[in-house]
Amino acid sequence: VFGLSSVAQVVLGRGDFGQHLSINLGFGIGVTLGIHAAGGISGAHLNAAITFTHCILGNLPWRKLPAYLIGQFLGSFTAAATVFGLYYDALYDYTKGNFTVTGPTATASIFSTYPAPCVSLLGGFFTEFTATVMLMLGILIIHDEKNNGALKGTQALLTGILVLGIGLGMGMNTGYAINPSRDLPPRVFTAIAGWGMDVFTAGHCWWWVPLTAPILGSLAGVLIHKLFIDFHNQPVPESGNEKGQPAVETS
């Protein structure tokens, strides 16, 4: 809701009620609050790509995957419907009742991501892949207690700042979906709500890229973290040394 409504305000307000920065801040705040809301209940799985990666790594049972995906889908779909209702009057005023995916009064990008006109399909795929690599790396680093992990209670805020940073640096090409759960459900909603099947054919059938590139990027992020950080981390012994003698405590 925070992310999509920030996009709606920028687009429908014609730049008078926010800029690119406000969109990034909206998504960062939304991620932070989402983690606080669901962190203690489900681990705050807000991203299907990361959930799928945890299943592959054995951190999450495969039998729980459908429940997580359904929850993510319903949450994102409901968010799109909420923002649609919130800005219904403004949408009609902006488009004169003609909801389009492309053109001077296109509004489908309020809800889902589409590549910039100058970006090729391969370039967009690489952008989403790279951005998700950075997302996964950042999350693993923030929660890496064997390394210089974040202070307890600050993980949600730092993850929100991480998303903000990705948007600030890698948001121009594709709108940084970096999450199948954030992109597909609102796309389905727009197809139902009046934008039609163009939402799946626009951008050289762009819709599948935000589903696949984040999954591959998430897996690559885990691999990079394992090879260059995790394998080199040695947990600090709690007490004593190899001979069983008391260890000297140093500052």
Side-chain angles (χ1 to χ4, degrees), residues 23 31 33 46 67 82 93 99 107 118 142 144 150 152 160 169 183 200 212 216 227 246 248:
I23 295 174
V31 167
L33 294 177
L46 311 179
T82 301
D93 179 69
F99 298 161
T107 48
C118 63
I142 288 170
D144 191 352
K152 185 177 180 181
D183 194 82
F200 292 102
T212 56
L216 296 176
L227 290 177
V248 178

Side-chain angles (χ1 to χ4, degrees), residues 129-141:
F129 173 84
T130 304
T132 313
V133 167
M134 301 310 298
L135 174 68
M136 193 65 184
L137 271 175
I139 291 173
L140 291 173
I141 290 168

Side-chain angles (χ1 to χ4, degrees), residues 165-177:
I166 291 172
L168 290 175
M170 289 172 271
M172 183 180 76
N173 286 349
T174 63
Y176 73 110

Side-chain angles (χ1 to χ4, degrees), residues 44-52 69 72 132 135 177-181 214:
H45 283 234
L46 311 179
N47 190 325
I50 294 178
T51 300
F52 186 76
L69 295 184
Q72 293 163 5
T132 313
L135 174 68
I178 59 175
N179 180 0
S181 307

Side-chain angles (χ1 to χ4, degrees), residues 30-145:
V31 167
T32 298
L33 294 177
I35 294 172
H36 275 297
I41 299 170
S42 65
H45 283 234
L46 311 179
N47 190 325
I50 294 178
T51 300
F52 186 76
T53 300
H54 278 299
C55 288
I56 291 178
L57 296 176
N59 298 331
L60 183 73
W62 284 100
R63 60 181 173 80
K64 290 187 177 183
L65 180 63
Y68 276 72
L69 295 184
I70 291 171
Q72 293 163 5
F73 187 101
L74 290 177
S76 191
F77 187 91
T78 306
T82 301
V83 172
F84 179 77
L86 185 68
Y87 282 108
Y88 183 80
D89 294 333
L91 273 168
Y92 257 84
D93 179 69
Y94 184 83
T95 65
K96 308 306 178 187
N98 183 26
F99 298 161
T100 58
V101 179
T102 58
T105 59
T107 48
S109 60
I110 291 174
F111 302 92
S112 295
T113 64
Y114 295 88
C118 63
V119 177
S120 67
L121 196 64
L122 180 61
F125 191 99
F126 183 67
T127 298
E128 288 294 323
F129 173 84
T130 304
T132 313
V133 167
M134 301 310 298
L135 174 68
M136 193 65 184
L137 271 175
I139 291 173
L140 291 173
I141 290 168
I142 288 170
H143 292 85
D144 191 352
E145 296 181 355

